[in-house]
Amino acid sequence: MDRLKDALLTYHERSKHRVSYYAPGPGRLDWATQPDPFRVFRGAPRIGLPLAADTLATRYNALRCGALPPAHRFDLSNLAILFELSLGLSAWKSYGANRWALRCNPSSGNLHPTEGYLLCPDLPGLSAGVYHYVSRDHALEHRAAVDEPQWTEAFSESGVLVGISSIHWREAWKYGMRAWRYCQHDCGHVIAAISYAAAALGWQTRLIEAAADDAVADLLGLDRGEDFEAAEAEAPDVLLWVGNAQFRPGLERMLTALDKAQWHGCANQLSSGHVKWPDIDSIHRATHKPRTREPPSPNPEPYSSPAAPVLDLSFARIARQRRSAVNFDGTTSITSTAFFSMLACLSARRDTPPWNALTSPAAVHAALFVHRVDGLEQGLYMLVRNPAALQNLRRSMRPEWLWQKTGPDHLPLYFLLPYDLRGAAKLICCDQEIGANSCFALGMIARFEIALKQPWRYRHLFWECGILGQALYLEAEAAGVRATGIGCFFDDEMHALLGVKDRGWQSLYHFTVGGAVDDPRLSAFPPYEVQP
Ligand SMILES: Cc1cc2nc3c(=O)[nH]c(=O)nc-3n(C[C@H](O)[C@H](O)[C@H](O)COP(=O)(O)O)c2cc1C
């Protein structure tokens, strides 16, 4: 275990950006080897999915308050909605001769390392098996056809599994060593995107915590050397059960059934050349997850609903209009009611997306730089998402912080320091203006000890950050402003500001929310050709 811990710490330290030097990267972009953002399995039978998301009436505000609609039937059309509103394209953009797709899930550098899979029993419109989702075409590729009773038995309650994997090279091509972190953030964003879209269909989502990485790889067909050959490998991330919250499908039975399955298709090669990043291989190995016990279902936590957002939009609209701001105007402010309501949505509540996906207690807290929130003093605030962490956080940070409880009674928000922190926020966000021009920026402060005890949980900490980020993206849209995830930040500058001296707490992701400045040079096009 010490060896894994050392490897983890080495990667963590070496992948930090510092004011005096950045984490090792490629130096310049080699456009000749730019990875294809779309994976396909050539030769696998395809099922074109209907574009049915506009038929969904669910309002975003109902979801964030945990008021899910009655469960929809599991069939082709509803699963098409699940994918369209989570991993599907949301627009095409162009500038000059360049054209690129945006998706409902964000991604560092818009590189999209994440691939999505569906595992299902026989359903109306879909036969049993393993499918790969191609966002570009809104289609499923039937990777494995399964006709075994064990497979059907494993799905004894109605529901499906969604599998997630990452192609590290897609991010490493641009970001080098730090890319592995971004793959994990992106995975967290996807977990949340699936959880929201499933909830809009009345379905609960749960991460299958017990599954070993090897089992995830087997179930998704990622270890099938003959289907990948020169194609870039996919690292297994996670399986999500979408259905009845209490049920878990029998993975062993599914694996037995897959032994007799017929697999179809070969993965496309995404780049003609590759650069090796040994640190990424090392952290991938160090955080390999063995099989573990399924944790007990957490007790439901009492909470009060957040105030209604400024805009009452359908979930489908919010999911597709979510965008990252390239910069903020530096003048827009939001009301304290809107601010508190956004923060209320970041607190873990079971059966409410996106937090229903997680079973572990909250391990990530938000250190907020408030610049422009009407009625709230500028300065540093801390949202303590798990009350059990309060004393430790207080002990680990500067003794002079005020820790003054502020905001609504139910909101665990503390005022630490009155100050104009725009300069500090900009500096910490790798000197990006967006940090200062936002209404507020934040650093996500994770209980790092968790990763040191169980190294695979390092990935979980990043996922929790990504989930928080996705909640903030949607909340910002509903508040009439915009958000941007910030993967480029100076880690130890943030720790120095907070007064964190050891590795008990580490900042793993940053975020900004504000009034967006659009780039008028870009043209936008619909995500898919309209079907006749
Ligand atoms: C993990 C992560 C890190 C990001 N880091 C930055 C960043 O440091 N600076 C920035 O301007 N945008 C950042 N972004 C925003 C991405 O550039 C954006 O998601 C991507 O271009 C796709 O655009 P969209 O979010 O509008 O779909 C980040 C996004 C993610 C998910």
Side-chain angles (χ1 to χ4, degrees):
M1 189 55 90
D2 277 352
R3 194 177 43 81
L4 300 182
K5 188 175 137 181
D6 287 349
L8 189 154
L9 279 174
T10 303
Y11 174 80
H12 186 65
E13 289 302 319
R14 278 172 56 79
S15 62
K16 282 180 174 175
H17 284 330
R18 300 169 197 277
V19 178
S20 46
Y21 61 97
Y22 281 78
R28 62 172 191 91
L29 291 184
D30 177 8
W31 293 107
T33 59
Q34 183 180 19
D36 186 334
F38 300 109
R39 164 134 288 168
V40 291
F41 287 88
R42 295 205 177 99
R46 275 199 166 211
I47 299 172
L49 297 175
L51 292 165
D54 285 328
T55 60
L56 197 65
T58 314
R59 312 303 290 176
Y60 171 67
N61 187 37
L63 288 189
R64 70 203 270 280
C65 296
L68 274 54
H72 287 50
R73 176 172 96 135
F74 282 92
D75 61 18
L76 178 76
S77 172
N78 288 324
L79 288 167
I81 296 177
L82 176 72
F83 281 102
E84 189 182 343
L85 295 181
S86 54
L87 295 170
L89 303 191
S90 55
W92 282 92
K93 293 261 171 174
S94 77
Y95 175 60
N98 293 328
R99 197 164 183 263
W100 63 95
L102 296 179
R103 309 190 197 187
C104 291
N105 57 310
S107 171
S108 186
N110 200 30
L111 296 166
H112 289 284
T114 318
E115 295 294 323
Y117 290 82
L118 171 72
L119 292 84
C120 65
D122 264 323
L123 295 173
L126 269 183
S127 56
V130 180
Y131 294 84
H132 169 249
Y133 178 66
V134 186
S135 59
R136 181 191 58 202
D137 309 329
H138 191 45
L140 288 173
E141 295 173 319
H142 204 169
R143 284 277 289 136
V146 195
D147 186 20
E148 293 296 319
Q150 291 107 317
W151 187 267
T152 316
E153 284 158 23
F155 290 95
S156 60
E157 294 223 7
S158 68
V160 298
L161 279 170
V162 173
I164 299 171
S165 70
S166 295
I167 303 175
H168 297 152
W169 166 244
R170 278 217 187 102
E171 285 283 325
W173 168 75
K174 181 170 180 188
Y175 295 115
M177 190 189 291
R178 201 168 163 95
W180 182 89
R181 294 181 176 216
Y182 299 158
C183 292
Q184 310 309 319
H185 291 129
D186 281 15
C187 177
H189 279 282
V190 168
I191 293 171
I194 300 273
S195 161
Y196 278 114
L201 291 149
W203 305 332
Q204 289 289 339
T205 300
R206 291 281 191 279
L207 195 141
I208 310 268
E209 184 104 30
D213 282 346
D214 290 345
V216 180
D218 281 351
L219 286 166
L220 305 186
L222 310 181
D223 54 353
R224 293 178 54 77
E226 64 272 43
D227 297 350
F228 280 81
E229 294 196 336
E232 295 75 5
E234 296 182 26
D237 286 328
V238 69
L239 288 175
L240 299 170
W241 168 249
V242 176
N244 172 347
Q246 308 314 323
F247 181 74
R248 296 287 177 283
L251 300 188
E252 293 302 326
R253 283 186 197 169
M254 294 176 71
L255 286 165
T256 311
L258 269 184
D259 282 343
K260 295 185 199 137
Q262 220 193 330
W263 287 83
H264 305 281
C266 286
N268 61 335
Q269 191 177 338
L270 307 174
S271 291
S272 55
H274 304 94
V275 176
K276 272 213 94 40
W277 289 98
D279 293 81
I280 292 189
D281 297 340
S282 162
I283 190 63
H284 177 56
R285 280 195 301 274
T287 56
H288 187 83
K289 184 184 179 298
R291 189 181 164 158
T292 48
R293 291 223 325 250
E294 195 65 51
S297 282
N299 292 327
E301 289 145 25
Y303 81 100
S304 42
S305 291
V310 175
L311 304 173
D312 176 22
L313 300 176
S314 73
F315 171 69
R317 166 110 189 250
I318 291 239
R320 283 185 300 208
Q321 79 167 42
R322 182 214 62 76
R323 294 280 180 284
S324 297
V326 185
N327 202 349
F328 296 122
D329 55 20
T331 53
T332 298
S333 61
I334 55 169
T335 65
S336 57
T337 310
F339 179 67
F340 296 143
S341 161
M342 281 185 201
L343 296 189
C345 290
L346 302 186
S347 296
R349 299 179 308 259
R350 305 303 156 194
D351 298 332
T352 299
W355 306 111
N356 58 356
L358 296 184
T359 37
S360 309
V364 180
H365 310 276
L368 297 135
F369 301 83
V370 171
H371 307 320
R372 270 174 286 269
V373 176
D374 293 340
L376 208 61
E377 201 166 346
Q378 276 192 325
L380 184 66
Y381 293 74
M382 182 70 76
L383 180 73
V384 182
R385 296 179 56 246
N386 178 348
L390 180 60
Q391 287 317 318
N392 192 311
L393 277 167
R394 286 185 78 144
R395 267 200 316 273
S396 306
M397 295 183 184
R398 285 181 195 272
E400 61 266 35
W401 292 150
L402 297 175
W403 290 101
Q404 221 170 64
K405 170 73 191 75
T406 190
D409 288 347
H410 62 85
L411 192 69
L413 181 66
Y414 297 84
F415 188 30
L416 306 192
L417 170 78
Y419 204 74
D420 178 352
L421 287 164
R422 284 178 294 177
K426 175 175 178 277
L427 172 75
I428 288 168
C429 294
C430 292
D431 225 21
Q432 299 178 82
E433 297 282 351
I434 203 164
N437 291 341
S438 54
C439 297
F440 67 96
L442 60 113
M444 299 190 194
I445 312 301
R447 187 88 187 101
F448 205 66
E449 231 168 47
I450 294 174
L452 297 179
K453 281 194 190 134
Q454 291 177 308
W456 68 86
R457 289 200 182 274
Y458 187 39
R459 286 155 58 193
H460 291 208
L461 293 178
F462 283 109
W463 298 350
E464 192 173 328
C465 292
I467 295 172
L468 275 164
Q470 192 68 9
L472 276 167
Y473 265 122
L474 302 192
E475 278 299 303
E477 295 292 334
V481 286
R482 192 137 270 181
T484 299
I486 302 290
C488 188
F489 60 90
F490 297 130
D491 307 54
D492 287 343
E493 289 300 312
M494 182 66 182
H495 302 143
L497 183 137
L498 294 174
V500 170
K501 289 198 184 63
D502 58 23
R503 292 207 197 82
W505 297 95
Q506 292 283 285
S507 181
L508 296 186
Y509 194 18
H510 281 238
F511 234 80
T512 50
V513 173
V517 179
D518 287 329
D519 186 340
R521 297 169 305 168
L522 304 189
S523 310
F525 303 92
Y528 298 105
E529 295 297 328
V530 179
Q531 290 174 340

